[in-house]
Amino acid sequence: MGVFCYSDEYTSPIPPARLFKALILDSNNLIPKLMPQVVQSIQYVEGDGGVGSIRQINFQQGHQVKYVKNKIETLDVENYTYKYSMVEGDGLLERLESAVYEVELVAGADGGSINKMKSTYHTKGDIVLSEEEVKAGKEKAIGMYKVVEAYLLQNPNAYA
């Protein structure tokens, strides 16, 4: 089994508290609304959204991935940190034992935020993830951030 870790940072004009509320705490409602062409629904299949809860993301028909289940490992609302593990679904794509994602939002100097993301992939056997696969995953994550950010910029009272 191989272990691959990737980190990235993304700067946003949205303050951490507001972005965290929209992107993490209310994503089950907001993401399907903002990205209906990709995400059909997000619901908790175990728990109430706190640590230990399992959330299932169902993707639209025709999407490469049908669904994934993520387990919330850490949720710190005061420090804007969130960690979850992909525990089931097409997202593992027969190549991964598991994947762990960590998000930390910190205040930026300009009143916005710096979003620190870390992904850790545990591959099956001697499988190696290519740079293209990692880049595609990063682009999807940043694409979702950009959609939420655009919504918050257009709706200054949302999640305030």
Side-chain angles (χ1 to χ4, degrees):
M1 173 174 70
V3 178
F4 300 88
C5 294
Y6 303 96
S7 297
D8 205 0
E9 282 190 9
Y10 166 68
T11 303
S12 172
I14 307 296
R18 194 165 168 232
L19 192 58
F20 194 82
K21 286 178 193 173
L23 193 61
I24 306 299
L25 299 179
D26 197 41
S27 62
N28 57 320
N29 294 310
L30 188 60
I31 298 300
K33 175 181 161 183
L34 298 180
M35 303 177 71
Q37 70 282 11
V38 177
V39 178
Q40 181 180 15
S41 65
I42 301 175
Q43 69 239 16
Y44 291 101
V45 294
E46 289 182 32
D48 60 0
V51 173
S53 296
I54 296 179
R55 182 171 83 156
Q56 181 169 322
I57 302 169
N58 298 301
F59 295 92
Q60 291 293 356
Q61 193 170 14
H63 195 271
Q64 177 186 6
V65 176
K66 293 176 185 162
Y67 80 97
V68 294
K69 287 185 179 178
N70 296 326
K71 181 178 181 180
I72 298 171
E73 305 290 346
T74 304
L75 178 63
D76 186 339
V77 179
E78 291 179 16
N79 293 304
Y80 313 119
T81 60
Y82 179 62
K83 178 179 174 181
Y84 65 94
S85 301
M86 187 184 316
V87 295
E88 183 181 318
D90 302 327
L92 294 176
L93 301 175
E94 304 295 322
R95 303 182 67 202
L96 300 175
E97 292 287 341
S98 65
V100 178
Y101 303 94
E102 298 175 58
V103 176
E104 178 183 14
L105 306 179
V106 297
D110 61 354
S113 59
I114 300 168
N115 309 308
K116 299 177 181 187
M117 299 171 276
K118 180 180 176 187
S119 304
T120 305
Y121 302 101
H122 299 265
T123 60
K124 292 181 178 177
D126 58 355
I127 292 174
V128 175
L129 297 179
S130 70
E131 285 187 41
E132 293 81 25
E133 291 171 304
V134 173
K135 184 178 178 184
K138 284 181 183 180
E139 287 174 359
K140 287 178 186 177
I142 290 177
M144 184 177 67
Y145 273 72
K146 290 279 191 189
V147 167
V148 171
E149 180 181 280
Y151 172 80
L152 294 174
L153 287 170
Q154 292 173 359
N155 298 278
N157 295 325
Y159 301 96

